[in-house]
Amino acid sequence: MKTHRHFLPLALLASTVLPGSSALIHRWSFNEAAGSAADGSAFVDSVGGATGFVRGDGANFTGTGLDLPGGDSFNGRAAYGDLPNNLLSVHSTVTLEGWVSVDSSGGGGWTRIFDIGSTQGDPAAGEITGPGNTNGGGTDGRDYLMLSASRGGNYNQQRIEWRNEDPGGGGVTTLDSNLNTTFGEIFHFAVSVEGDGTQSIINYWRNGEHVTVDGVAPRTLGDINDVNTWLGRSTWINDGTLDGTFEEFRIWDNAADQSFVDASIALGADSVIPEPAVFSLLGLTGFAFLLRRRRSQ
Ligand SMILES: [Ca+2]
Ligand SMILES: [Ca+2]
Ligand SMILES: [Ca+2]
Ligand SMILES: [Ca+2]
């Protein structure tokens, strides 16, 4: 009865939750019934109720994910995921976590995993509500926090960029990475932003590798005019839209660390790590160790 010894501590951990300590605030799993994900199709947020919508054409629900076709959302109608406004700016600290595959380079250059901010088009407040340029103004991203899938079409290069030019004068922070991408292979990502009211610290992991360590941005999440909250599409609306499949996307209201990332990867996209209160009681490192031990036996 060797197995039971390992299930028991997990059950205890899962039940050791303090009230009011929840840190997972949004969870989109894209587990809608397989089939066409036509323009306007909804995908649920099982934690925060912030329903997302497919905008544009050519997407499909796979049963476990949202498969975007890749292409042009400006002159064309390549589909992307559109989440509600103001998901980030109401927080000072978040972790954006997900599982996604980049299916091909067919989406073009500077495609995005996520891009959350605003686009030129004053006085329309920078919001683009569908394929094309619904503002009729300029095409530049103004405010945004984004994670790219490529740099200029090179999918073995990526970028995190945080621009604060809505209104102008806030500057930009750029954090580049050089990670090989295998098309069609699902990977895990986590980007944490920890604000102190004046500046923010950015950490980034891909498949558990700590790619960006304590990057400093002289601004806070409250500085973002987050009216374009997008998966796959760039706030620079001339950019290509990702050919990728989103299996899971989450927003946590605290900052991840290595132990959190390791534990989340060990659990996988279909399970959520127990509430952080558990970690403060029992130690997150110990929990990650316990998971690894369980998996290795
Ligand atoms: Ca899923
Ligand atoms: Ca695809
Ligand atoms: Ca701003
Ligand atoms: Ca919007």
Side-chain angles (χ1 to χ4, degrees), residues 143 164-167 223-225:
D143 267 11
N164 184 25
E165 291 290 331
D166 181 8
D223 290 327
I224 301 179
N225 178 24

Side-chain angles (χ1 to χ4, degrees), residues 1-26:
M1 302 305 286
K2 209 173 174 183
T3 318
H4 288 182
R5 228 166 49 210
H6 306 299
F7 281 118
L8 181 62
L10 279 173
L12 284 173
L13 276 168
S15 64
T16 313
V17 175
L18 296 180
S21 62
S22 178
L24 178 61
I25 46 178
H26 298 287

Side-chain angles (χ1 to χ4, degrees), residues 141-292:
R142 280 271 179 85
D143 267 11
Y144 54 85
L145 174 65
M146 70 81 160
L147 171 63
S148 80
S150 82
R151 296 210 309 268
N154 184 339
Y155 282 78
N156 295 325
Q157 301 180 339
Q158 305 79 28
R159 174 169 292 177
I160 289 172
E161 189 160 280
W162 189 352
R163 192 169 191 237
N164 184 25
E165 291 290 331
D166 181 8
V172 63
T173 301
T174 296
L175 301 162
D176 285 341
S177 57
N178 301 288
L179 300 165
N180 288 338
T181 295
T182 302
F183 294 124
E185 190 174 288
I186 297 169
F187 60 87
H188 174 266
F189 65 89
V191 176
S192 72
V193 178
E194 188 168 15
D196 68 0
T198 304
Q199 64 174 25
S200 300
I201 305 297
I202 300 171
N203 282 278
Y204 167 46
W205 292 262
R206 194 168 89 166
N207 281 341
E209 180 182 348
H210 200 169
V211 182
T212 298
V213 180
D214 294 339
V216 178
R219 62 193 68 91
T220 61
L221 291 168
D223 290 327
I224 301 179
N225 178 24
D226 49 348
V227 291
N228 299 329
T229 310
W230 290 344
L231 301 175
R233 189 182 188 188
S234 170
T235 53
W236 291 71
I237 55 175
N238 272 335
D239 289 338
T241 293
L242 182 70
D243 179 5
T245 302
F246 288 85
E247 301 289 340
E248 177 89 359
F249 186 62
R250 301 170 181 166
I251 303 178
W252 301 80
D253 73 354
N254 59 0
D257 61 13
Q258 186 69 50
S259 297
F260 175 94
V261 170
D262 290 345
S264 196
I265 289 173
L267 278 168
D270 296 332
S271 304
V272 172
I273 206 162
E275 301 296 335
V278 171
F279 310 140
S280 60
L281 284 174
L282 299 174
L284 185 51
T285 303
F287 176 62
F289 172 75
L290 189 144
L291 271 176
R292 279 196 295 274

